[in-house]
Amino acid sequence: PTSNIKVTTSQLKESRAKEVSQTPDSLQLDTYEQVEAKINDPKESFMAVADSYKRYLQRLQMEESGPANSNHFSVYDGLARQPFTIDQYFNFIKGSEYDPDNWTIDQLEEFYFVPHPEPFSMGLYLQNLVAYRTLRRLGYRGPQQRELAKNYYISAGENTLEWLNPSPAPYHTYEELCIIKEPPSFVHGEHPRAESEIKLE
């Protein structure tokens, strides 16, 4: 039922407050000494050392930036000034279709089931959103899409093949055909060379 997965403004604010209260120690991020110990331990794999170093870099970033403001959006942390606060944003959308208190079941499904990339970037999130909505039109709801994602890579579609290759590439690169979308500049009849090519034919 919708009531079981209802999202409210207060829940989102509480989640943000909990997020900014975390410290490098509460997240158990590695220290320099821990990284060095793994580097010198011949039993540790390369990936274990690399992951430890990533957690150490995250610790340094958190210590350098200092405590976060629970009323600020983390996506704007790199700006000299926040364009608006969380309170200002929720006050602005209150009562509209964007207000979490008024979300439909489809909006709630998007909130819960569209994958959030780590580290987060708006570009990658929008690609995940396009892939989610494409599968939704094909009849797959959120829980079904999670099952699909366990066995298939769902692409939002790209202009060329190289952007569809995972890294590192698998042994069999294209066991299933890729979805290739042509940008407007390459649509037949719109490309600058299209007319001359037609005449030659």
Side-chain angles (χ1 to χ4, degrees):
T2 307
S3 57
N4 293 342
I5 59 172
K6 188 68 178 175
V7 176
T8 64
T9 302
S10 59
Q11 287 176 343
L12 295 175
K13 289 183 177 180
E14 289 173 7
S15 176
R16 173 59 178 165
K18 183 179 180 181
E19 177 187 343
V20 301
S21 66
Q22 294 177 328
T23 64
D25 292 329
S26 66
L27 293 173
Q28 298 182 338
L29 300 178
D30 293 29
T31 63
Y32 177 82
E33 290 75 18
Q34 290 173 316
V35 176
E36 188 175 34
K38 289 189 177 182
I39 291 174
N40 296 326
D41 187 351
K43 295 181 180 179
E44 292 288 352
S45 66
F46 172 80
M47 290 307 301
V49 174
D51 290 339
S52 177
Y53 184 64
K54 287 180 182 178
R55 291 191 294 271
Y56 170 64
L57 293 179
Q58 187 179 352
R59 170 183 283 273
L60 289 182
Q61 184 179 11
M62 291 183 68
E63 290 175 348
E64 183 180 351
S65 60
N69 190 326
S70 61
N71 198 29
H72 285 177
F73 287 97
S74 58
V75 70
Y76 298 127
D77 285 344
L79 301 181
R81 179 180 177 275
Q82 292 263 328
F84 44 80
T85 66
I86 291 178
D87 286 337
Q88 289 173 333
Y89 172 76
F90 282 122
N91 288 336
F92 179 77
I93 65 171
K94 190 173 182 61
S96 71
E97 61 179 313
Y98 303 107
D99 187 350
D101 295 329
N102 299 330
W103 280 355
T104 64
I105 185 64
D106 289 331
Q107 288 173 301
L108 287 168
E109 272 197 12
E110 282 191 2
F111 177 80
Y112 279 109
F113 292 106
V114 174
H116 285 236
E118 292 292 341
F120 182 84
S121 75
M122 186 57 69
L124 291 176
Y125 177 76
L126 290 177
Q127 285 193 2
N128 290 343
L129 181 61
V130 170
Y132 171 87
R133 289 182 175 177
T134 301
L135 289 175
R136 184 69 187 84
R137 290 193 190 97
L138 294 174
Y140 294 97
R141 300 200 74 93
Q144 295 172 310
Q145 292 194 28
R146 280 194 175 171
E147 292 301 315
L148 281 176
K150 293 178 181 178
N151 300 314
Y152 302 97
Y153 170 70
I154 310 300
S155 170
E158 297 293 349
N159 298 327
T160 55
L161 286 176
E162 65 267 20
W163 290 105
L164 292 170
N165 288 333
S167 181
Y171 183 74
H172 296 291
T173 308
Y174 298 116
E175 293 185 355
E176 294 187 16
L177 293 179
C178 301
I179 300 174
I180 302 299
K181 298 180 179 180
E182 293 184 344
S185 60
F186 289 95
V187 174
H188 189 68
E190 295 183 11
H191 192 274
R193 295 179 56 191
E195 293 184 6
S196 61
E197 289 175 354
I198 291 174
K199 291 178 181 177
L200 289 174
E201 292 175 357

